[in-house]
Structures are given as C-alpha cells and as structure tokens.
Amino acid sequence: MIPAARRWFEALALSAACAASSVLPAQATGGATGGATPKSAAMPKPPAQALPDFTKVPTTFEGLFAERESRAVDVLGYLRCLEATVNALRAGALGGVERGWSLTCIKQKAEWRGIFGELIDTPPGMRVKVQFALRSPGPTPKTRGGMVVRDPVDTVLASGTARALLRGLAAPAPGNGLGQFVPVTLAQKTFTEVWFVPSANTPERAVVGGDSLIQMSSDGMRELGHASRTPKMRVLSVPVGGTTYTLESSEVRIPLLTELMLAHLAIDVVREVRVRTREYDAILTRATRQWTFVKR
C-alpha cells in the first residue's frame, strides 16, 4: 500500500474504532482495509432500492455533467482533507486524540476542515474537540496548508457526516483486488451521500469504475437508498509529459464520478484531457480549468 493510501486507512480505522463507543447502537463497525471485504453491519442487508429524488434534477447534458463534476471535485477535496488531517495527527500538531472521538471532513463554505469530535445523543449531535483547516496556500494551486483553528463550525453538519461515515465503514466495500476503496461522505442540502471511491489513484495508475453510492438522511441516522449498479473497474494510465489524454468513458452520456476524478488528476500532467462518452466529448484544458463540450 502506498503511503497516502495507508494514511487514509489509518484515519478510517480510527473512525471505525470510535464507533465502538458511539451512542449509535444500530451502527456496527468495520474498517475497510486492502481488497478484503469488511464485516457487515448488524442490521439486515436492505434490498436494492432506487435513490429517492430530493432535488430538482437537471435536464440538460451540461446540467447533469455539472452535478457529477461537483461531486468529483468534492471527493478529491475530502480525500486531501483526510490525508492532511492524518498527517497533522501523526506529526503531533493536533495533540492527543481519544479513542472515543470520531473523525470526519466537511466543507464549510469554500474551506475543508478535518474534525475530531465526540458523538452525543443530544443536539447538536457532536462535541467538536479539534479542527484542522486547509486554509493557507500550499505548494501548488490545488493544495492548502493546514492549521489548527477554533473558528465556529457547523456542528450539526459534522455530526451528520460522521454518523453517515460509520454506515460506510460498516458496508461491504466494492473492489475485486484492482484497487482499495474508501467511503467518502458529502453533505447535500437535504441528505448526505456516502461514495465509495479508489483511495490511492495517481495519473500513472488509476482505477476508474467501482464507484457506488449510499444515500443517508442529513443526520446520518437513516439509510434512504443505495445504487444497485456498480460500474466495472478498469486500471488506466495517463502518459506523463504528453499534451492530450483521451479517457474513453464506459458511459453513454455522463462520465462516471471516478472518470472525472481521473480527469482532474490528469490535467496536472497534460495540457488537455478529453473524457469521451458515446454521445459527448468533454474537454478540460489546463490553461482555463474550464470544460467545453462537443456532441459526437
């Protein structure tokens, strides 16, 4: 396992350990490590069901693409936040972290924060103990340096995503040995999503496909639905130093979440990335960091 993946799994193992002393009796724990399947939750396995429609779904290709694109960007931000928070913990910058605390990353306005806190059974649902904000400029435009802060934080949001993460840690992880998958919690306006994504992608070796989704209530206590389809996994490589990279999508119209994640990794090593579905070419250039679309 490469160092970044090891740190992510250490963080998730820490979150799983916290669940043992959590106030959530229905949330069993299990850490996803390697390609192994973690233990299932104590609750019976729910039947496959359609995700409920809580928001107005865009009708245009551009609108649907923007929705998927925003998820991909936020997943990458979450993973960077998680890695930075674990690095700070290992370096001693966060002080002592107790076993009973849960770890989550949330996006408050435009800022990612890694949060350690104690889940409680009364509002707001969590006592925040430590915050690590990705705030100061980092070595590249996409990175941020981190610092311990005591700023106001949305404790209800932190509680909901932390509880949803426990559900993700208890679920069987996708994968067949091609890659290691981790749960990522993204809060939406009226619900929380738990995405399973590859944990250690690089442009030289990236897994696309395998991404799946559980939809939870905003407080992270109830599972509302989950995707019944898991896209086939593929291992791809971006030619470092090239000028253009074309990613052949497995989809008809809208690329997979993991395909768009790879596009953002690839744009750092090539000048132009094309994600090609059967109906559209989506083109991202490094100069503008903007997408354009061509109907095929």
Side-chain angles (χ1 to χ4, degrees):
M1 187 184 300
I2 70 170
R6 185 180 300 113
R7 289 192 291 269
W8 287 329
F9 278 109
E10 286 174 356
L12 293 173
L14 179 60
S15 293
C18 295
S21 56
S22 169
V23 298
L24 297 174
Q27 299 281 358
T29 66
T33 57
T37 301
K39 293 181 180 180
S40 298
M43 66 184 73
K45 183 178 180 180
Q49 52 189 306
L51 297 176
D53 181 14
F54 288 104
T55 57
K56 184 178 180 180
V57 178
T59 57
T60 65
F61 169 82
E62 291 80 5
L64 291 167
F65 186 97
E67 286 285 317
R68 187 67 54 82
E69 159 78 355
S70 69
R71 300 299 201 276
V73 171
D74 281 348
V75 166
L76 290 171
Y78 180 101
L79 292 175
R80 293 187 184 106
C81 172
L82 184 61
E83 182 180 9
T85 304
V86 173
N87 284 344
L89 176 65
R90 296 177 68 184
L94 306 187
V97 172
E98 297 183 11
R99 181 179 176 82
W101 296 354
S102 291
L103 168 63
T104 188
C105 277
I106 66 170
K107 187 178 182 181
Q108 183 163 284
K109 297 183 179 180
E111 179 179 88
W112 282 98
R113 294 191 195 180
I115 294 176
F116 282 99
E118 179 185 4
L119 292 175
I120 57 177
D121 58 0
T122 56
M126 174 184 274
R127 295 189 185 100
V128 173
K129 302 294 186 177
V130 180
Q131 298 183 63
F132 189 73
L134 273 64
R135 179 172 297 177
S136 59
T140 68
K142 282 192 172 183
T143 63
R144 293 288 185 272
M147 62 180 68
V148 176
V149 298
R150 297 181 179 274
D151 299 350
V153 65
D154 189 336
T155 313
V156 173
L157 174 63
S159 169
T161 55
R163 293 169 191 267
L165 181 60
L166 296 182
R167 175 66 184 100
L169 289 166
N176 58 3
L178 291 179
Q180 295 156 330
F181 279 63
V182 297
V184 169
T185 54
L186 299 181
Q188 307 301 329
K189 288 183 178 180
T190 57
F191 55 91
T192 297
E193 296 175 343
V194 182
W195 285 93
F196 293 89
V197 298
S199 65
N201 275 357
T202 65
E204 294 79 12
R205 186 188 185 278
V207 175
V208 297
D211 39 309
S212 57
L213 172 65
I214 298 174
Q215 200 171 72
M216 304 290 295
S217 58
S218 292
D219 60 8
M221 297 289 287
R222 293 181 297 111
E223 182 175 325
L224 305 176
H226 60 274
S228 57
R229 171 181 175 251
T230 301
K232 183 179 178 180
M233 296 170 63
R234 298 176 289 150
V235 177
L236 302 177
S237 177
V238 179
V240 178
T243 57
T244 300
Y245 173 64
T246 299
L247 195 166
E248 296 288 347
S249 172
S250 62
E251 301 302 286
V252 176
R253 293 188 71 206
I254 310 300
L256 297 174
L257 177 88
T258 46
E259 291 171 344
L260 291 174
M261 289 171 61
L262 176 55
H264 280 277
L265 294 175
I267 203 62
D268 289 330
V269 297
V270 297
R271 292 199 296 265
E272 180 183 276
V273 176
R274 291 174 176 258
V275 182
R276 175 171 292 172
T277 61
R278 295 181 194 175
E279 295 185 0
Y280 286 89
D281 276 359
I283 305 165
L284 178 66
T285 60
R286 191 193 303 174
T288 64
R289 300 282 175 168
Q290 299 293 322
W291 290 93
T292 57
F293 308 105
V294 178
K295 185 78 166 62
R296 298 185 64 187

